[in-house]
Amino acid sequence: MEKYDVFICHNSQDKPEVGKIKSSLQSQGIKTFYDEDNLIAFKKWKKQLQDHISEVKAFLVFISNNGTGPIQHEEIDFFLKEVLPKNSEIQTGLVILRNTVEGIINTVKNSYPEFKDFHYCDFRKEELNSMNKLILAITGREPESQSIITQPKSLTKTPQQPPHADSISLEGIDYRELTELLSESKWEDAWENANYLTYKLMLNAVGKTQEDQLTKEDVKDFPCTDLYKIDKLWVEHSNGKFGFSIQKEIYLSVGGKPDGIFNQSIWRKFSDLVGWVGKDANGCNFFYDSEEEFTFDISAHKGHLPVLIEDYQEIIIDIFARIEACPQFNKDPLKLLNSHLGFQPDTSAIKAVEIINSLPNI
C-alpha cells in the first residue's frame, strides 16, 4: 500500500478550496491522500480510508461554514479512537478555511475536545502566509516557492456564506449537517449517520461531548427549541414515519402516559410496534440493545428511528415527557404565547394582560 505524508479530512462541499490547498502541498513534494484522487476502484472505500489514516504522518481536518460532513465524521472518529492513542507523534489539527464563523469552530471543538490541545492553521487571515505556515508545520521547512500558493480569483470572488439563522439554535447548535443527511436519506448509511449525529447534537445541546452520555436529568431540562428542531427534521424528511413525536403517538396508543414513568407492560407493546424487538434462536423475544440490531432504513417500522442506543429504554420515556412539557409541540396558541412571554403554560389570557399592564414603561 502506498504511504502518504498527509491525510486531507474534509467536507465534500469544500472541495474547490481544499483542492487548491492540496495542489499547493503537492507542489512542495508533500504526498497527500485526497479521496477522489487516491481511492482505488472496486475496493471497499471505508477500509481504504482507515488504512491510510493509520499510516500517514499528519491528519488535517478542514473546517468551513459547511460544517463537518458525514464521511468526515467517520474519519475523525476513527482517527481519534484508533490512531491517535497509539501514535502521539502524529501531526494533527484543524485547518480553518476562509470566512468560517467562530460558532462553527466552537461546535467542532466541543464535539472533538481533543483538537483543543492543538493549535490550528487559520486561512481566514492572509492566505499566502497561512499556506506558508501550513507547509512549514508539515515539512519543518519554508516552502521552496510562493508563486503557486496564491488562491485563484474564482474562489475569492465567491466567499462562503455564513449559516442561515434558522440552522443555528439558541444553544448554538448547527443543524445543517443533520438536514443534509436526512434529505439525502436514499444514500447508503444516511439514516444510520443521521441517527448517530442526532445523539451527538443532543449531547452538545446540554453542554456535553460525544464521550459523555445523555442522562434522565439532561432530558428533563432539554432545550425545547432544539428538541422540536430535531424532531421536525426527522418527521419532515421521513414523510411522517420517524421522529420522537411519532414515537410518542405510538406510545400513547398502547396506553402509555407521557409522565416519565417506565411501565414494562406498556414498553413491550410499544417496542413491538416500532420494531425494537427480536427473537433469539429459541424463539423467545428480546429487546434490541446494540446498534447492529436496528434497521437504519426507510423500510423500518413506523417510529423505529431515531433510537438513542445508550439507555434508550429510559431516555425515550423521558423524551416523551419533555415533548409533553414543551410548548413548541403544543398547538394551543395561548400556551405558545405564554411560553414566548415567559409565563406559566396555564396562565389565562386575562391574567397575561394584567401581568403585561403591570410592567413598568421602558
Side-chain angles (χ1 to χ4, degrees):
M1 182 182 72
E2 185 175 1
K3 294 186 178 181
Y4 296 86
D5 298 316
V6 175
F7 187 97
I8 296 182
C9 176
H10 65 290
N11 187 323
S12 60
Q13 296 182 58
D14 297 325
K15 284 189 181 296
E17 187 172 359
V18 174
K20 187 65 180 179
I21 296 175
K22 174 213 59 169
S23 298
S24 294
L25 294 177
Q26 290 175 334
S27 71
Q28 297 294 311
I30 300 172
K31 296 184 66 176
T32 60
F33 183 90
Y34 190 65
D35 53 6
E36 67 179 25
D37 292 344
N38 304 114
L39 284 176
I40 300 174
F42 312 125
K43 291 188 177 182
K44 293 184 177 180
W45 59 270
K46 280 189 180 181
K47 186 177 187 305
Q48 290 186 65
L49 293 176
Q50 293 175 354
D51 287 346
H52 286 293
I53 291 173
S54 301
E55 297 292 334
V56 293
K57 300 175 183 177
F59 181 83
L60 305 183
V61 180
F62 288 77
I63 301 298
S64 77
N65 284 331
N66 290 319
T68 49
I71 304 303
Q72 191 177 16
H73 273 304
E74 293 190 28
E75 294 171 349
I76 295 173
D77 283 342
F78 178 79
F79 172 75
L80 294 178
K81 293 177 181 178
E82 303 296 334
V83 179
L84 187 59
K86 301 175 184 177
N87 182 9
S88 59
E89 298 299 317
I90 192 170
Q91 292 178 297
T92 189
L94 304 179
V95 179
I96 312 301
L97 298 178
R98 296 171 303 111
N99 303 308
T100 305
V101 298
E102 286 296 328
I104 297 294
I105 301 173
N106 291 334
T107 297
V108 173
K109 286 184 175 181
N110 288 334
S111 298
Y112 302 103
E114 293 88 346
F115 289 122
K116 292 181 179 180
D117 296 332
F118 297 90
H119 187 59
Y120 54 78
C121 183
D122 196 343
F123 275 80
R124 295 174 301 175
K125 301 176 181 179
E126 201 276 314
E127 292 173 356
L128 178 60
N129 187 45
S130 298
M131 192 69 238
N132 289 342
K133 286 183 177 180
L134 181 60
I135 293 172
L136 177 62
I138 295 171
T139 64
R141 55 177 170 77
E142 296 287 345
E144 298 174 0
S145 170
Q146 296 183 346
S147 61
I148 44 77
I149 299 174
T150 55
Q151 295 284 354
K153 292 182 179 179
S154 59
L155 285 178
T156 58
K157 284 184 178 180
T158 56
Q160 291 175 310
Q161 296 298 317
H164 192 277
D166 290 344
S167 66
I168 307 293
S169 75
L170 295 176
E171 302 297 322
I173 309 303
D174 189 344
Y175 288 101
R176 286 177 300 165
E177 185 181 354
L178 181 59
T179 303
E180 178 185 340
L181 276 173
L182 291 173
S183 64
E184 296 179 354
S185 54
K186 61 183 179 180
W187 302 112
E188 182 183 5
D189 297 333
W191 287 113
E192 184 173 2
N193 287 331
N195 190 80
Y196 165 78
L197 181 58
T198 294
Y199 188 67
K200 190 164 74 169
L201 290 173
M202 292 182 74
L203 286 171
N204 291 343
V206 295
K208 290 187 172 182
T209 70
Q210 62 178 8
E211 302 300 325
D212 300 316
Q213 288 189 346
L214 199 66
T215 66
K216 292 172 66 69
E217 289 69 29
D218 295 328
V219 174
K220 288 178 181 178
D221 295 316
F222 196 88
C224 287
T225 52
D226 287 272
L227 186 59
Y228 182 73
K229 179 68 174 179
I230 291 171
D231 180 68
K232 183 179 179 182
L233 288 173
W234 276 93
V235 173
E236 288 183 351
H237 291 289
S238 66
N239 292 321
K241 189 168 187 178
F242 300 144
F244 293 132
S245 61
I246 302 299
Q247 294 168 345
K248 175 175 174 276
E249 291 176 3
I250 297 173
Y251 185 73
L252 296 180
S253 73
V254 295
K257 296 181 180 180
D259 53 11
I261 299 175
F262 184 80
N263 182 298
Q264 184 69 29
S265 175
I266 298 297
W267 178 258
R268 285 198 188 97
K269 297 176 183 178
F270 166 73
S271 298
D272 187 54
L273 285 179
V274 298
W276 290 353
V277 178
K279 290 185 180 295
D280 61 21
N282 297 319
C284 298
N285 291 337
F286 68 94
F287 295 119
Y288 291 161
D289 60 5
S290 68
E291 191 170 334
E292 292 75 18
E293 293 168 326
F294 294 93
T295 303
F296 297 101
D297 190 274
I298 195 63
S299 64
H301 288 67
K302 183 176 182 179
H304 191 76
L305 300 175
V307 55
L308 310 181
I309 307 298
E310 301 289 346
D311 299 323
Y312 71 98
Q313 292 188 18
E314 294 188 11
I315 293 297
I316 194 65
I317 300 301
D318 289 307
I319 288 177
F320 296 160
R322 187 58 179 158
I323 289 176
E324 187 72 11
C326 287
Q328 287 83 350
F329 291 90
N330 194 311
K331 296 181 180 180
D332 185 334
L334 179 58
K335 289 187 177 181
L336 282 172
L337 178 61
N338 285 336
S339 173
H340 287 299
L341 294 175
F343 301 154
Q344 292 297 318
D346 57 352
T347 302
S348 68
I350 295 176
K351 183 63 176 177
V353 171
E354 291 177 354
I355 295 174
I356 293 173
N357 288 336
S358 68
L359 296 175
N361 293 326
I362 299 177

